[in-house]
Amino acid sequence: MARQVDLTEDLQKRYPDAFNGQHNSMFTFNCGEGWLDVVGTLCSLLAEVNQREGKAPTYLLSVKEKFGTLRVMVSGREPEARQLITFAEHHSARVCEICGARARLLYSDGWQRTRCDAHSLTVRTNEDD
């Protein structure tokens, strides 16, 4: 399993236009690796929006799990960026947070988590312990 710091640095190197370079150290990636592709796609799309003329940049501040799905915090209010973020958050409810396989939102023992069949009994990720 990759360390959260390594995942964060990798995202910032691959998609610098999705992050405010002056504040990169403030970005946090606090969710399972299974959502890395969802977050990477969001970073790619945000970087594209940020490169357009006349658009106010929307920078990623943090991504985390909350109530079983992805939550994205950003600076900026660009409507197109907000639509992309909403889509990524909703899409995460269909992707296993642990492995990235097709999944569903489960409720168990007071916890909400998005898990595939193979991880359906795994309520908490290693990062939660």
Side-chain angles (χ1 to χ4, degrees):
M1 173 178 274
R3 296 178 339 138
Q4 298 297 320
V5 172
D6 296 335
L7 296 174
T8 297
E9 289 174 358
D10 181 56
L11 287 170
Q12 290 171 335
K13 285 178 186 173
R14 290 186 348 196
Y15 310 105
D17 290 332
F19 299 91
N20 184 341
Q22 297 174 343
H23 304 288
N24 274 354
S25 63
M26 295 175 60
F27 173 75
T28 58
F29 181 93
N30 193 14
C31 55
E33 287 181 56
W35 287 343
L36 189 58
D37 285 344
V38 174
V39 175
T41 299
L42 176 61
C43 287
S44 175
L45 294 170
L46 279 179
E48 183 180 309
V49 170
N50 287 343
Q51 292 169 357
R52 294 187 195 145
E53 293 284 327
K55 299 279 186 178
T58 299
Y59 296 119
L60 284 171
L61 300 176
S62 71
V63 292
K64 65 180 182 177
E65 178 276 328
K66 185 171 183 178
F67 300 120
T69 60
L70 185 67
R71 290 295 183 268
V72 179
M73 303 299 164
V74 296
S75 66
R77 298 184 181 271
E78 186 63 43
E80 184 178 3
R82 290 289 174 184
Q83 290 173 344
L84 296 171
I85 292 161
T86 299
F87 178 79
E89 289 175 342
H90 284 99
H91 182 62
S92 70
R94 294 181 173 30
V95 177
C96 180
E97 183 185 4
I98 295 173
C99 70
R102 185 181 176 124
R104 65 188 184 284
L105 187 59
L106 302 173
Y107 301 88
S108 176
D109 297 325
W111 291 93
Q112 299 175 34
R113 294 292 194 237
T114 303
R115 299 289 187 259
C116 64
D117 289 339
H119 292 112
S120 63
L121 298 178
T122 307
V123 176
R124 298 171 64 102
T125 62
N126 290 339
E127 293 81 27
D128 292 334
D129 295 333

